[in-house]
Amino acid sequence: MVSKTRPVKVGRVIIGGGHRPSVQTMWKAPLRSGGLESVADGVRGLEALGCDILRFSTPDMEQAELLGALASRVDLPLVADIHFDWRIALRCLDFPIAKIRVNPGNLGEPWKLREVAAKAADKGVPIRIGVNAGSLPADLRDEPDRGTAIVAAAEREVAALDELGFRDVIVSMKASGVEETVRANRLFSSKHDIPLHIGVTEAGPLVQGCVRSAAAIYPLLLDGVGDTIRVSLSADPSNEVLAGVELVALATGSRRSADIVSCPRCGRAGFDTHAFTERWCERIYAIRKPVTVAVMGCVVNGPGEARHADIGITGAGDKVMVFRKGEITRTCAPEDADTVFGEELARL
Ligand code: SF4
């Protein structure tokens, strides 16, 4: 296995070169003129949750223009996802876009790729090559081993850019199957020093998608394979970001945002941990410090867990207790729990 990938700069983020794996997601609706300010707010919200890079589908010139306008409104590195039209890629490169995703084989004549690569090199914008098992070239589609077929397809695309001297490349090889995704990425990593964007494509709805993605991404990251990740879900991008942040924290053993310890709740609970966690989780996850927040239902395990947290709340009979670093700081009625917890959280 190649020990370290080459570093590729994507706006303010470095992918590869031994840097911490970055977390990506994708915007899930077309951009509309007149709606850019609310999209910019949404982008900032994803950034607050730990999103490092955000990709947008850019199927036509209108979307390219809108993405360009958005890119100058936000700080987060934005990626233009272009499929076939080299003119859209060229237009996106007029804006402060951090990366484009395009497959050389989809652009048609070689001169179109030459134009795109030359402009990307001139602007210092890298290219992500993305190979999906569902859209392999015709001659690889019937290969019995889809893992090696995905790698062969990616290598073809890389070679086309390599011939032009373009090396700021990131590769993704995705399948909906966990095993072939893992195998393809391990194989590619053993042969090349190109940074890898890893993930399972079409992984499914929230629970299934998180399980499948974790089953593929976690072991790869543990082995040093994968420089940037996306958890693809049929769910809101905020869930993709939260799942990605958690996977990177687990695989690297280092956390940059809050960790929530919350009990599953049972008949003993004097305090609804589910509803409370649901109400507070986005605000807690937006704390960009490695703190632990405990939300526990009752005195059986509650005080013990809460005492070890930086801040904790637990049901205790008909009361709710709030702890800070092991000390009870407040006791209140359950209906006042949000107010009291919010005040304590603000002091973290
Ligand atoms: S902490 Fe209490 S309420 Fe929560 S699961 Fe454990 S016993 Fe049940």
Side-chain angles (χ1 to χ4, degrees), residues 1-4 182-183 185-193 196 219-220 222-226:
M1 203 157 285
V2 174
S3 61
K4 203 194 255 188
V182 170
R183 198 152 43 82
N185 281 283
R186 282 194 203 285
L187 177 60
F188 190 92
S189 174
S190 70
K191 300 167 73 179
H192 305 281
D193 71 345
L196 287 174
L220 285 171
L222 277 189
D223 284 351
V225 179

Side-chain angles (χ1 to χ4, degrees), residues 286-303:
I287 300 170
R288 309 306 297 161
K289 288 191 269 187
V291 293
T292 301
V293 179
V295 182
M296 306 297 290
C298 79
V299 290
V300 172
N301 296 317

Side-chain angles (χ1 to χ4, degrees), residues 149-166:
I150 297 169
V151 172
E155 287 174 331
R156 258 182 221 176
E157 304 285 7
V158 168
L161 283 168
D162 226 28
E163 279 170 21
L164 299 172
F166 191 94

Side-chain angles (χ1 to χ4, degrees), residues 66-109:
L66 291 168
L67 180 57
L70 180 68
S72 56
R73 283 176 155 88
V74 298
D75 298 326
L76 196 66
L78 305 186
V79 181
D81 192 317
I82 293 126
H83 270 113
F84 303 108
D85 193 332
W86 90 107
R87 290 164 298 194
I88 297 173
L90 292 176
R91 184 64 182 133
C92 286
L93 289 166
D94 289 330
F95 302 114
I97 299 294
K99 181 172 62 167
I100 57 171
R101 181 198 171 192
V102 63
N103 285 356
N106 287 344
L107 293 184
E109 294 91 334

